[in-house]
Amino acid sequence: MAGAVAAALLLLTAPAAPAVAAVPGGGTGTGGRIAWDDCADPALTAAGAECGTLRVPLDHADPGGPKITLALSRIRHTAPDSDYQGVLLAVPNPLGGSGYTDPLQGALLPDRAGAAYDWVGFARRGLAPSSPALTCDPDVFAYDRPPYAPATPAEEAAWVARTESYATACDTGPQSALLDHMKATDTAADMEYIRAALGAGRLNLYARSYGTYTAQVYATLHPDRVRRAVLDSNVDPRRVWYNAANFDQNVGLEENLRLWFDWLATHNSVYGLGTTRAEVTAEWDRQIAAVTAAPAAGVIGPDEWADLFLVAPYFQSSWPLLGAAFAGWVHDGDAVTLRALYDQLMQHGDDNTYAAMLAQICTDAPWPASWRTWRADTVASARRAPGTTWGNTWFNAPCRTWGAEAGTPVRVNGSAVAPVLLVHETLDAATPYAGSLEVRSRFPRASLVAVPGGISNGPTPGSHACVDAHIAAYLTTGELPARVPGRGADAECAAGPAPTPYPTG
């Protein structure tokens, strides 16, 4: 079983992509120009991409002031020039990493729908390989931390202190000058610099998960610059970010975890974890108690257990890998795999993705400053979602004392934007389906394709044939499902089949 898990490590769709320490290859652009060159990233190189950098203002209100460097990649169109449809800019997802390799997604669309576009990706400001790359405390996800759900006032105080310490480390760190300039509006301004540097009159956009909020902001501020846009798993613009990144997620994550337990029970002949949800839940609770008493390999305690296995509620594609890891620990005592998964998924020893994500969501909109407010909301949420709430609170809690001042959120308004395609799986917990319903109401020419019963967050392209067909048709001809009256989806795709377990043993 351990061998099967190790072989599958690179196949997992994880919530964070590995960050890189420095700009890997590519030319250096100045004066609003991008100097394209070869890429050092093997996947980009294999796809025939070119890489470069672009200097942009640290503070867009002071264009003559200090500059930072954005790292970009591009895969040029392979369709005939007569079929060329322009630049498609992949909007980075703060939850998922830099966006630097996102142009690889174009090849996943059917009917060569992506071939008519130049796919451009970039690492958003503060995130490697753009420079400077924000880091505050690389050991923020150290092993065997205090339990997320505090059993005593001392454990609660310890976590409050940890989150305050992380915010202070960011505010006093070597890249602290970035913190006042990490909002979605800053990324939207960077996108305008990229558009101009590419000589594109308008952009086509592809955004997923938290990146959809940046796309919403860009489209609101620059409606005449958007030709087409695919927004997968929309953030609810009413809820940024205290609720959207925190309390709105907890119940859905807990429910999706139980759906994974159902799947494990269905495949008990493979995993041996129980034949019903109740039996798998009992096994889960036994193992949390075990690693609480004696962390696996001395490092994987209850928090680390939760962090690595709570990928399952985000991505159905992760179920076989995580099921094998769960069963490997139960039956074989395989702690090596648990540690390897934790290190990969949480980027142990590298906080760049986490720091850069917080730097945006902590400043796009205000957060409550009182721990009493946070605590009351957390206790209320934990009554319905005891396994997911406290960890999510601590993950976001540095925003409570973040040093940079929060701004006023952009009033998202797509009334002047060209027709947009929205897609969303209805049981997505990270960005709940209500977000796409709200965005549809604000973009009157948008159409929404829903996947009832789907749980995955931002899984396109390449994950669902029906949804991919809608995306391909839209990118090829602009065709959208006819908009229907009311507040609902304009078309539906049946949820795909549950994944097949990996062979074990």
Side-chain angles (χ1 to χ4, degrees):
M1 187 173 293
V5 174
L9 274 171
L10 296 179
L11 301 179
L12 177 61
T13 301
V20 189
V23 176
T28 300
T30 59
R33 301 174 62 182
I34 305 167
W36 297 104
D37 204 339
D38 294 338
C39 298
D41 181 280
L44 288 172
T45 298
E50 50 192 351
C51 294
T53 59
L54 177 67
R55 300 279 284 172
V56 299
L58 169 66
D59 180 357
H60 283 285
D62 181 18
K67 301 295 191 292
I68 60 174
T69 301
L70 301 180
L72 299 96
S73 65
R74 177 171 66 179
I75 298 178
R76 288 183 177 271
H77 66 285
T78 55
D81 288 348
S82 58
D83 296 330
Y84 178 58
Q85 300 227 36
V87 172
L88 191 152
L89 184 63
V91 183
N93 172 14
L95 186 63
S98 75
Y100 185 63
T101 60
D102 281 357
L104 298 171
Q105 298 167 0
L108 300 177
L109 288 169
D111 303 323
R112 289 180 47 80
Y117 293 87
D118 290 344
W119 286 68
V120 176
F122 69 105
R124 68 188 185 91
R125 53 175 53 212
L127 194 58
S130 291
S131 178
L134 186 63
T135 182
C136 307
D137 177 6
D139 292 325
V140 64
F141 295 113
Y143 300 125
D144 195 21
R145 292 158 291 158
Y148 280 150
T152 66
E155 289 180 350
E156 181 178 325
W159 265 110
V160 169
R162 285 176 71 96
T163 61
E164 291 175 349
S165 175
Y166 189 79
T168 299
C170 292
D171 196 39
T172 59
Q175 297 91 25
S176 59
L178 281 169
L179 298 185
D180 287 321
H181 311 289
M182 289 290 292
K183 301 175 182 66
T185 49
D186 294 300
T187 301
D190 290 342
M191 291 165 61
E192 267 295 273
Y193 264 74
I194 293 169
R195 181 196 60 76
L198 292 169
R202 292 191 295 169
L203 292 174
N204 305 281
L205 305 177
Y206 203 119
R208 299 178 297 169
S209 189
Y210 285 19
T212 62
Y213 179 66
T214 304
Q216 295 164 27
V217 168
Y218 179 85
T220 298
L221 298 177
H222 307 286
D224 57 330
R225 299 300 191 187
V226 179
R227 177 177 178 266
R228 291 177 186 160
V230 178
L231 307 186
D232 177 1
S233 307
N234 278 274
V235 170
D236 190 333
R238 301 169 299 180
R239 308 288 288 175
V240 292
W241 282 101
Y242 177 65
N243 289 299
N246 202 359
F247 299 106
D248 290 351
Q249 300 178 352
N250 296 333
V251 171
L253 290 172
E254 190 97 16
E255 292 174 348
N256 287 352
L257 181 68
R258 305 304 166 185
L259 292 178
W260 179 49
F261 290 176
D262 292 341
W263 180 85
L264 291 171
T266 299
H267 298 288
N268 184 59
S269 62
V270 177
Y271 298 115
L273 297 170
T275 60
T276 65
R277 175 187 290 197
E279 289 180 358
V280 176
T281 300
E283 187 64 68
W284 173 268
D285 292 341
R286 279 193 294 272
Q287 298 311 318
I288 289 179
V291 299
T292 300
V299 296
I300 303 299
D303 297 354
E304 296 72 39
W305 177 278
D307 287 341
L308 72 92
F309 284 114
L310 285 180
V311 173
Y314 288 86
F315 304 104
Q316 195 176 41
S317 60
S318 71
W319 287 5
L321 172 59
L322 296 178
F326 185 4
W329 166 251
V330 170
H331 302 305
D332 304 326
D334 178 12
V336 172
T337 294
L338 298 185
R339 181 171 181 169
L341 280 171
Y342 179 78
D343 288 352
Q344 180 194 34
L345 300 180
M346 300 307 294
Q347 299 180 342
H348 182 249
D350 181 355
D351 69 327
N352 180 220
T353 297
Y354 179 59
M357 184 206 71
L358 289 179
Q360 176 182 328
I361 69 171
C362 292
T363 57
D364 274 339
W367 295 65
S370 168
W371 171 244
R372 179 174 295 181
T373 299
W374 282 71
R375 189 182 193 283
D377 290 339
T378 300
V379 169
S381 178
R383 293 191 187 104
R384 297 182 63 199
T388 57
T389 293
W390 280 101
N392 215 5
T393 288
W394 301 129
F395 187 83
N396 292 287
C399 291
R400 186 178 67 85
T401 57
W402 199 253
E405 184 177 355
T408 301
V410 171
R411 173 69 180 173
V412 170
N413 181 350
S415 59
V417 179
V420 168
L421 176 61
L422 313 175
V423 298
H424 212 138
E425 301 200 358
T426 63
L427 299 184
D428 171 18
T431 52
Y433 179 59
S436 279
L437 296 177
E438 178 64 20
V439 173
R440 179 183 178 276
S441 75
R442 298 187 184 206
F443 285 69
R445 290 193 282 175
S447 289
L448 169 60
V449 176
V451 183
I455 76 156
S456 295
N457 174 248
T460 67
S463 63
H464 195 293
C466 173
V467 176
D468 281 350
H470 280 288
I471 296 171
Y474 171 65
L475 291 180
T476 301
T477 68
E479 176 188 352
L480 288 172
R483 190 167 166 114
V484 301
R487 190 180 177 90
D490 303 295
E492 291 184 350
C493 288
T500 301
Y502 295 145
T504 60

